[in-house]
Structure formats: C-alpha cells, structure tokens
Amino acid sequence: MAARLRAVAALLLAGCSVAGCSMAPDYHAPETAAPPAFREVEGWSQAAPRDAEARGDWWSMFGDPTLDDLEKRAEAASPTLAAALARYDQARASAGVAASDLYPTVGVSGDASRDRVSAGRPLSTGTARTYNNFVVGGSLSYEVDLWGRVRNSVKAANAEAVASSGDLASARLSLQASVADAYLRLRGLDVQADLLNRSVEAFERALKLTDARHSGGIASGIDVNRARTVLGNAKAQVSAVANERAATEHELAALIGTTPAEFSLPMRSEPLDVPDVAVGVPSELLQRRPDIAAAERRVFAANARIGVAKAAWFPSIGLGGGAGWQTTHGNLLSTPNTFWSLGPVSALLTLFDGGARKSQVKMSRAEYEEVAANYRSTVLGAFQDVEDAIAAMHHLETQASAQRDAAQAAQRTSEIALSRYRDGASDYLEVVTAQTDALDAQRSWIGVQTARMRANVAYVRAMGGMS
C-alpha cells in the first residue's frame, strides 16, 4: 500500500511540475492609433487605466433637481439596466463554474442491502448464506491540467466576466446620458412652447388692431387675412411642439421604468444655463471608456480559448480514488471493514476525429482575429465620438452667439414694423415678414441652446463619464 501511495504522489508531483505549461499564445493587446491630442484640444498625459472608477453624478453640472431625481429613478427601476446587471451576474457565475474544474471533485455515498447467496455458488462451502451489507464511502476524481486546458478556460471565463462588468458600466452610462438628453430636449420644448404662447397672444393683439383698422377703412382685407395667417401658423406650431413634448415625456417614462400614464412633468419656461465642461485628452478616453476595456478583455478571452482548443491535441489525464467502511453487522463504525482504492489513473487521447480539432483551433484563431478587429473598431469609434462632441460644443457656442444677436435684431425689427404700421407708414406685409422672422430666429436660438446642452451630454458619454 505504501508503495502505491508513493507512486501516486510521484505522479501528482510530476503533474504539478509541468502545470505551468499552456498552449495559449503569448498575449499582447492589439495596437491602436492614439493621437497625442484631440484635433481641437492640446495636451497629453500618460495613460493609466481608470475604467473601473465611479463616474459620479456628472449630470449635476446642469443644476436641476428634477434631472437628479429622474437619474435616481432610472438607476433603481430601469429594465434595461436590470437586464445588463443580470448578464453580468451570469458571466460571474460562469467564471465560477469554470474555476471549479481547478479542484478535485469529492463525493460521498452510502448503501444498505440484504443479500442471499446460494449454496451452489463458486467456491461455496456447501451452505446458503443470508446477510446484511452496509457500506459508507467516498470518492475523489481530478483532471491533471498538464496542457493548460482548464487554466485557459478559467482565464477566458474570468476575462468574459470582467468584460461583462464593462458592458454593465456602459449600459449604466448610456442610460444616464439618455435620461439627461431626453430631459434637456423636453426643457427646450418647454421654452419653445412658452415663446409660441406669448407669440400667439401678440399676434392676437395684432389681429385685433388690423381688424379695427379694417373696420375703420384704414386697412384692407388683405392685411386682416395676413394677420390671421400668422396667428394660425403660430397656433399650429404650438400644437406641434405639444405633440413632440408628449412623445419626449413618454420616452422619459420608459427610461425610468414606468408607464406614460403614471408619469408627467410640469412645464417650466425658465431656460437652463449651458454649463462649462472641461475637455480632456486622448489618454483619458482609453482609460475611462468601459466599452474599450470590455472589448480588450474579450480579446484576452479569445486568446485563452486558442489554448483550450490546442490542448485537445494532447492526452487528457485523470486521477481517481475511493475509500470507506463496510460491514455485515449493524455496528458500522465500531466494527467496520475498511476498503480503499487508488485509481484509475486514466489517459485519453483521440487519434482520429476527421479534422475536428484542427478546425476548432482554426475557429478559435478566427474568433481572436474578429474580436481584435472589434476592439480596434471600438477605439476608433470612441475617438470619433469625442471629436464629434468637441466640435459640436465649439461650433454651437459660436452659433449660439450669432443666433442670439439675430434673434434680438429680428425682435427689434418686428416692434419697429408694428409701430410703423400703426402710424400708417407701412403696410401689414412688412409686419408679417418681421414677425415671422423674429419668431423663427428666437426658436432657432432656443434650439441651438438645447443642442449645446445635448452636446455636453454627448461629450460625457463619449469620454466614458466624468468624476
């Protein structure tokens, strides 16, 4: 027995001595282009991964308590985020299943029976026997991971779990940005609705003035119809904005996990101030974007699965053993007969499989090339997202300044035109033109301001959040 134990121990030591063997290729993250600076921003800092850091309540830069509340409600009740969290839990559990193969499988068993053997059995003493048989035992089995199949499977599963955590962070950030974007659009529509309502009131007063002048023989029927046209167009725009606001409110309801019938936000005409957002540098993008980190971990997992596929060319070696107690009497623990076994020590090597293993290795390498290409595509897309957001913030700021000046000038022109009409110095066509231009210019300015705030949200999303 001692000799057998020494033989098994020697085999285990031999397995441990080569346990560092792995069929997976040496891993290097795919190279990607990383410019020293964004096109419109200068500066560079050494990259240090920060994708696991908390993003913080970045939407608080808008200083709106209602938006703060909506973000909290979305975090608590969004089905999209709940699904992403469930996928992350699945990935972690899958990693645990893979890691279990690193350890032996241990089992226990018990058996009780009453047996009778005949008098004519082989090697019989000539008498029949009836007896009880009680057995309690345990078993152990273990795969010796000589070629790294199990270890590479564990590495791949762990990497997939980390990638899934990146997916969860991406889903959370995307949800936060979607809530902020929808809310800012809704507030922009509120400001437009307030402008249109005030314009309708002004156009109604202008219609009364024109109608009175027409009754007095001073103005023509054409002037009255022109005034009615401007008023009717403004009322139609009020309804169009109300319809768009309702759809945006319904969108917000879905984002925070409730039904449109149970959700409403009161109108608020005060415009939000556009916050100043500090523009970062390219290294921060690669540090913070959770989707980039997730894509890189999937490349690592694919690399490890190449090792799993290549390990199939080598024998699978397993160890087994068992021990326990057996008795034909009721005193199982006090007067037992012990038994034990070492083995089997098994080795299984497939000699012919019709090319299945070769194809599996090719498939694993192709999978690696696919996810590596996806990683590079994710990085390039991230840089594009940030460049687009930075360009939008810069150009919209200039556009807003010019549009504000245009709106102010158009409003003054409208007031002057109406005054000239009252004094009989011009016809109503001049008033209609000036009023239409003023309303269009003011709505455009509101639209640009809303676009500026949305560009800030897009920048935060593109940069992977803000601390």
Side-chain angles (χ1 to χ4, degrees):
M1 175 177 176
R4 294 181 180 178
L5 289 174
R6 285 195 297 269
V8 172
L11 182 59
L12 287 172
L13 289 174
C16 293
S17 67
V18 296
C21 179
S22 174
M23 297 294 104
D26 292 338
Y27 176 72
H28 302 283
E31 294 184 2
T32 57
F38 291 119
R39 183 172 181 176
E40 299 188 40
V41 180
E42 301 202 0
W44 173 257
S45 64
Q46 184 65 35
R50 295 163 53 199
D51 58 280
E53 290 186 3
R55 269 61 186 167
D57 298 342
W58 55 266
W59 55 87
S60 61
M61 64 183 177
F62 294 103
D64 191 312
T66 303
L67 177 57
D68 296 343
D69 179 65
L70 290 173
E71 294 287 1
K72 291 178 181 177
R73 293 174 66 178
E75 175 76 20
S78 169
T80 302
L81 191 59
L85 179 59
R87 287 192 294 270
Y88 173 55
D89 290 339
Q90 292 174 40
R92 286 202 307 170
S94 178
V97 171
S100 67
D101 289 339
L102 292 171
Y103 304 96
T105 299
V106 179
V108 295
S109 62
D111 182 64
S113 64
R114 182 170 178 80
D115 301 324
R116 181 184 184 281
V117 294
S118 69
R121 68 187 183 278
L123 303 179
S124 170
T125 59
T127 59
R129 295 288 303 275
T130 301
Y131 63 93
N132 297 324
N133 187 28
F134 303 96
V135 180
V136 174
S139 62
L140 180 147
S141 61
Y142 177 65
E143 179 181 347
V144 182
D145 191 26
L146 298 183
W147 323 113
R149 185 194 71 80
V150 175
R151 281 173 286 119
N152 282 318
S153 296
V154 173
K155 288 179 181 179
N158 287 336
E160 290 289 353
V162 176
S164 184
S165 71
D167 294 340
L168 175 59
S170 292
R172 177 175 284 109
L173 179 60
S174 179
L175 174 65
Q176 293 168 349
S178 296
V179 170
D181 184 82
Y183 179 76
L184 294 173
R185 282 188 281 118
L186 184 138
R187 288 309 179 205
L189 291 170
D190 284 350
V191 178
Q192 286 198 48
D194 179 68
L195 169 65
L196 287 168
N197 287 328
R198 289 187 284 109
S199 297
V200 166
E201 293 175 359
F203 294 162
E204 286 176 341
R205 291 194 298 268
L207 175 60
K208 289 179 180 179
L209 171 63
T210 307
D211 192 50
R213 289 170 63 86
H214 177 259
S215 299
I218 302 174
S220 67
I222 294 177
D223 290 346
V224 175
N225 286 327
R226 284 170 175 165
R228 286 174 178 165
T229 299
V230 173
L231 176 59
N233 285 336
K235 287 182 177 180
Q237 292 176 41
V238 168
S239 297
V241 169
N243 179 52
E244 188 175 354
R245 187 189 189 278
T248 306
E249 194 174 57
H250 301 163
E251 179 184 347
L252 271 172
L255 287 171
I256 66 172
T258 188
T259 62
E262 300 172 321
F263 176 78
S264 66
L265 285 176
M267 292 188 62
R268 194 176 70 192
S269 59
E270 299 84 2
L272 293 173
D273 294 328
V274 180
D276 293 326
V277 178
V279 176
V281 292
S283 61
E284 293 182 355
L285 174 63
L286 297 179
Q287 294 167 25
R288 296 187 59 85
R289 284 274 294 232
D291 58 337
I292 292 178
E296 187 277 330
R297 285 294 84 193
R298 289 194 167 94
V299 177
F300 179 88
N303 186 79
R305 282 192 286 268
I306 294 176
V308 175
K310 292 172 68 176
W313 287 96
F314 299 89
S316 174
I317 299 177
L319 301 178
W325 297 270
Q326 181 179 22
T327 183
T328 58
H329 306 286
N331 298 324
L332 179 63
L333 299 181
S334 60
T335 58
N337 297 312
T338 60
F339 67 89
W340 58 267
S341 65
L342 293 176
V345 177
S346 61
L348 176 63
L349 175 63
T350 301
L351 297 179
F352 178 75
D353 59 6
R357 288 171 296 176
K358 184 178 179 180
S359 297
Q360 185 64 47
V361 172
K362 287 183 177 180
M363 187 167 63
S364 298
R365 291 188 183 278
E367 179 192 0
Y368 173 85
E369 295 298 332
E370 178 187 3
V371 294
N374 289 340
Y375 169 74
R376 288 188 289 268
S377 177
T378 300
V379 172
L380 291 175
F383 278 112
Q384 178 185 346
D385 292 342
V386 177
E387 293 283 9
D388 289 347
I390 293 174
M393 288 191 296
H394 286 178
H395 297 309
L396 285 171
E397 183 178 7
T398 304
Q399 181 182 352
S401 178
Q403 192 65 56
R404 183 185 62 249
D405 294 342
Q408 292 173 349
Q411 182 60 32
R412 290 194 296 269
T413 300
S414 177
E415 294 169 356
I416 293 172
L418 186 59
S419 178
R420 283 169 51 83
Y421 177 73
R422 288 195 190 98
D423 296 338
S426 66
D427 61 14
Y428 203 74
L429 178 60
E430 183 177 291
V431 176
V432 169
T433 302
Q435 287 177 335
T436 302
D437 290 346
L439 180 58
D440 290 344
Q442 290 170 341
R443 290 191 67 186
S444 295
W445 180 73
I446 294 171
V448 172
Q449 288 293 90
T450 302
R452 289 181 65 193
M453 291 186 288
R454 295 181 65 193
N456 286 346
V457 173
Y459 173 74
V460 172
R461 172 188 267 170
M463 285 296 295
M466 296 178 64
S467 300

